[in-house]
Amino acid sequence: MFVSNVCTKNMKGEKMGVYSVRGNPNYSAEAIRVDQIIEYSGIDRLVGVPFAGNVALVPKGKYKVGDTVVAFPAESQLSEVICFRNNLYSDTTKNKDPMAPRGYMGKQRRVRAIKLRGVVSSALVLDSELFGNPDAGTKFDHVGDIEVCRKYEPPVRVATSARSNNQPKKKRDFDETVFPRHYETLQFLRNKDRLDLDKVAYITQKLHGTSVRIGNVWVKSPRSWTDRIKARLGMSVRDHYTTRLVGGSRKVIKDPTDSSQTHWYASDVWSEAAKMYGELIPPGHVVYGELIGWVSENVPIQRGYTYDVPSGEMRLVVYRVAYVDFLGQVTEFSFDAMREFCAERGLHTVPLLYHTDGDKVEVVVQANNLIDSHLSQFNYSGTEDFFFTDPAVPLCSESPCDEGIVIRQDGLTPTLLKWKSPLFLEHETKELDSGDNPEG
């Protein structure tokens, strides 16, 4: 038990708040009550413990219904101190006790989604006492100041670079104030309580490409020589603004005028997309979406997920539109307004599978056959109330299944929740193993 020194109680004997989430909440640990033990034919020594729509395979007899355990989702990364002090490394020389039984974590300390005899294990379960016995429902990536886990970030390969080591980075005249990143999309099965049952929910197909944002953003115009003189004399000078077309990935701004930038692919697909679609975007507007298809004739954006996009082409599929003024104030488009905005300009939007009022939300999100499936081939006959509004984008023949779905509810800040397929998580793990990791 490595956290006993920070697990304290108040005078009533209740645990104090030493558990916190400081990083990406999608990859935090969670204390869960074991409500079910799943046995599988053909796997004699392992059973399944369900966690947030996924399953963690554990040794048979290790846990029983009613136990509290700590679960980690696929593609989270345990900290070094966790693996070292609890002898979790498969390389025993890295453990605190080299003579202890061999663990199952590699040097990257990464939770991987793997398939064993047809069963996908896409989570990891550990004893709750290792973390001070947190109450069921507790989510955390830190105990006190000790980091427990974080999102696994594989080494990013730099594919192209025009900047020499001594060449200074070009200074931009805009930043993320006027070109903000997209919101973090939380995992639905760990955040069901964020849905408002009195509001409409939109369920859309989650596409697997590379995230893109394209903006016609506000930038300050260069001051005239008279204004520069006035400013030096301490006189008030009014700023003037113009707009600039810019593209970006989920985290990185891609300035098409800056040839010194580095990119994952052999070409800057984000700036190319900005050039392709930028003229359709009015001043001050930013569109967010997924680029699917191809980087070039024989190079896919995502291996195994080129959908129905012809070879050599790429397609923008929009899932969010916002207006951002020159001060960075964001006005969100509702889901329906986003669809209308895109329809007027001939832009594709993520397929709307279904929209529902609050009392029907559970009908949709509990439809497990939306997961691990090919949505374009989906035929739901369980209820007359359920049908796809838009046809799903067809998968290519190499795709094991759709990535999953996204549930959205509108608001000043939209609620966005994703539900990924365990089969897709297995595919994603294999792609990360191979080093195929486009920047996001």
Side-chain angles (χ1 to χ4, degrees), residues 8 10 83 86 90 119 163 170 197 200 205-206 221 224 226 285 296 352-353 361 368 371 384 416 431 437:
T8 56
N10 61 22
C83 293
N86 295 291
S90 56
V119 179
R163 184 188 296 122
K170 181 178 177 180
L197 297 184
V200 172
Q205 181 182 15
K206 192 173 192 318
S221 300
S224 65
T226 55
H285 289 70
S296 59
L352 173 61
L353 304 180
V361 169
N368 288 321
I371 305 302
E384 295 179 357
L416 301 169
E431 293 301 292
N437 177 49

Side-chain angles (χ1 to χ4, degrees), residues 223 226-227 229-239:
R223 286 180 173 176
T226 55
D227 282 345
I229 292 175
K230 289 179 180 179
R232 289 178 183 177
L233 295 174
M235 301 173 65
S236 177
V237 177
R238 182 181 178 182
D239 288 325

Side-chain angles (χ1 to χ4, degrees), residues 354-373:
Y354 190 70
H355 72 277
T356 178
D357 293 324
D359 60 345
K360 296 180 182 178
V361 169
E362 291 301 314
V363 174
V364 178
V365 297
Q366 290 184 11
N368 288 321
N369 51 353
L370 288 178
I371 305 302
D372 289 347
S373 67

Side-chain angles (χ1 to χ4, degrees), residues 231-353:
R232 289 178 183 177
L233 295 174
M235 301 173 65
S236 177
V237 177
R238 182 181 178 182
D239 288 325
H240 297 276
Y241 291 83
T242 185
T243 56
R244 172 174 297 172
L245 180 65
V246 61
S249 62
R250 186 169 64 90
K251 296 180 180 178
V252 181
I253 294 175
K254 303 289 187 178
D255 188 346
T257 67
D258 184 359
S259 61
S260 66
Q261 284 193 328
T262 59
H263 315 290
W264 170 264
Y265 299 111
S267 61
D268 179 2
V269 296
W270 301 273
S271 292
E272 288 177 15
K275 293 176 183 177
M276 288 173 58
Y277 298 101
E279 65 180 14
L280 303 174
I281 302 175
H285 289 70
V286 182
V287 301
Y288 302 82
E290 202 80 2
L291 288 178
I292 59 174
W294 302 83
V295 177
S296 59
E297 194 69 29
N298 298 310
V299 180
I301 291 176
Q302 289 285 2
R303 189 166 52 197
Y305 279 86
T306 53
Y307 296 92
D308 60 346
V309 181
S311 179
E313 299 180 15
M314 66 178 173
R315 180 189 306 162
L316 169 65
V317 185
V318 179
Y319 48 68
R320 177 190 172 199
V321 175
Y323 175 80
V324 187
D325 68 17
F326 60 88
L327 295 176
Q329 298 296 315
V330 179
T331 302
E332 291 287 344
F333 280 43
S334 69
F335 185 81
D336 289 336
M338 179 269 292
R339 284 166 62 87
E340 184 176 348
F341 173 95
C342 292
E344 288 178 350
R345 291 160 176 79
L347 295 170
H348 295 275
T349 56
V350 285
L352 173 61
L353 304 180

Side-chain angles (χ1 to χ4, degrees), residues 34-143:
V34 178
D35 293 323
Q36 182 184 10
I37 299 291
I38 306 173
E39 296 193 6
Y40 302 97
S41 60
I43 307 180
D44 298 330
R45 298 182 180 181
L46 299 174
V47 293
V49 174
F51 166 57
N54 300 294
V55 170
L57 291 179
V58 300
K60 193 171 186 177
K62 184 173 178 61
Y63 303 113
K64 63 181 184 299
V65 172
D67 287 347
T68 299
V69 297
V70 171
F72 298 82
E75 301 312 327
S76 59
Q77 182 184 45
L78 275 62
S79 66
E80 291 184 66
V81 67
I82 292 288
C83 293
F84 170 73
R85 294 190 184 181
N86 295 291
N87 304 312
L88 296 179
Y89 283 112
S90 56
D91 181 353
T92 58
T93 62
K94 296 180 179 294
N95 292 327
K96 182 178 180 180
D97 180 6
M99 301 305 294
R102 181 179 177 181
Y104 33 77
M105 301 302 294
K107 63 180 180 180
Q108 295 176 327
R109 311 182 307 280
R110 167 179 160 224
V111 180
R112 302 170 66 252
I114 59 174
K115 183 183 288 186
L116 296 175
R117 298 185 182 180
V119 179
V120 177
S121 177
S122 48
L124 170 68
V125 163
L126 295 175
D127 297 348
S128 64
E129 65 178 15
L130 299 178
F131 308 94
N133 292 312
D135 296 329
T138 303
K139 300 175 184 178
F140 60 98
D141 57 23
H142 280 74
V143 180

